[in-house]
Amino acid sequence: MTYWLLKNFLLGPLILTLFRPWVVGRENVPTKGPVIFASNHISFIDSVILPAVLDRRVSFLAKSDYFTGRGLKGWATKTFFNAIGQLPIDRSGGKASEASLRAGLQVLARGEQLGIYPEGTRSPDGKLYRGRTGIARMILEGRVTVVPVAMVGTREVQQIGQRIPKFKRVGVVFGKPLDFSRFEGLETDRFILRSVTDEVMHELAGLSRQEYVDVYATSVKERASTAREQVLRGKVTRNGRGTSAR
């Protein structure tokens, strides 16, 4: 009920008015049955724009951090993400990731729509990075239709760290549904999972026209974070030496 109210009377109309999203390939969106929308991820508002242009409810797998915050802000964030159909996904691996996978499959088993960002995180620089194979497992185990989706212009509206978005027009491009039925029963083959994932990313690169980089976005973020720490450590060390010299 909350999702329906937000989409049709509160948040949805506001999003459509402020960002005036244009849509290409709407005919590629199935009108019924379970669907996986595999999307690039270049901005926080991707998870708000896509539901606004779809008729049926779509749930997203979102990082569990959004659901574990403390205090009033943590409660508000958790309540908002639950209201817009977000499902927490634990990126720590092992049993936690398996539980997240099962949560997504349950959505599909109900005949609903599921949104997934194969990169596993927002792009740090607007490029398209290597996909995680979790999406391939869902596609093959769920035996569902997968539609590649390219979000266009959302990074210019709200970049990482930017709290208030700019009100500019954005776009959503739906590609033709991908058929992976030829791999039925091979969802435990890691080579097949990589092949399926890479095919999805190839389609996304074509739709979004982003530069593709065959490394994980999380690795790029980790290297950047390490570099920043080293720079700060160097500054602290130099300042300390300067102080002691005086």
Side-chain angles (χ1 to χ4, degrees), residues 39-44 46-47 60-68 81 86-101 115-124 130 132-134 160 216-222:
S39 175
N40 61 334
H41 196 16
I42 51 179
S43 174
F44 173 82
D46 294 335
S47 301
F60 278 92
L61 295 179
K63 63 179 181 179
S64 57
D65 302 26
Y66 291 135
F67 299 82
T68 57
F81 276 90
Q86 303 279 326
L87 301 172
I89 180 171
D90 193 320
R91 301 175 181 173
S92 59
K95 292 183 178 180
S97 295
E98 187 68 23
S100 300
L101 173 72
I116 300 178
Y117 299 119
E119 293 166 278
T121 185
R122 275 176 288 175
S123 170
R130 196 176 200 218
R132 300 281 180 174
T133 57
I160 294 177
Y216 293 120
T218 50
S219 298
V220 175
K221 289 184 175 181
E222 287 169 2

Side-chain angles (χ1 to χ4, degrees), residues 172-226:
V172 182
V173 181
F174 294 102
K176 294 182 180 180
L178 303 177
D179 180 17
F180 294 106
S181 59
R182 63 189 183 279
F183 297 127
E184 187 175 318
L186 298 174
E187 57 270 13
T188 59
D189 188 316
R190 62 189 182 93
F191 295 105
I192 295 297
L193 295 179
R194 173 46 57 192
S195 177
V196 169
T197 304
D198 288 346
E199 186 173 335
V200 171
M201 301 312 294
H202 175 76
E203 292 296 320
L204 284 179
L207 291 175
S208 67
R209 298 183 180 180
Q210 292 171 270
E211 178 184 345
Y212 179 73
V213 182
D214 195 25
V215 297
Y216 293 120
T218 50
S219 298
V220 175
K221 289 184 175 181
E222 287 169 2
R223 286 198 294 267
S225 177
T226 299

Side-chain angles (χ1 to χ4, degrees), residues 89-172:
I89 180 171
D90 193 320
R91 301 175 181 173
S92 59
K95 292 183 178 180
S97 295
E98 187 68 23
S100 300
L101 173 72
R102 295 302 159 194
L105 288 173
Q106 287 175 8
V107 171
L108 298 171
R110 295 195 297 267
E112 299 175 6
Q113 301 181 133
L114 182 69
I116 300 178
Y117 299 119
E119 293 166 278
T121 185
R122 275 176 288 175
S123 170
D125 51 17
K127 298 176 183 178
L128 186 69
Y129 287 90
R130 196 176 200 218
R132 300 281 180 174
T133 57
I135 185 174
R137 282 194 60 190
M138 284 199 184
I139 292 170
L140 299 184
E141 288 193 31
R143 299 180 183 181
V144 298
T145 298
V146 54
V147 176
V149 184
M151 308 303 296
V152 182
T154 54
R155 186 171 186 270
E156 286 68 34
V157 167
Q158 188 176 26
Q159 297 189 22
I160 294 177
Q162 181 181 339
R163 293 188 177 184
I164 302 176
K166 299 176 182 178
F167 301 133
K168 295 182 178 181
R169 199 169 191 196
V170 299
V172 182

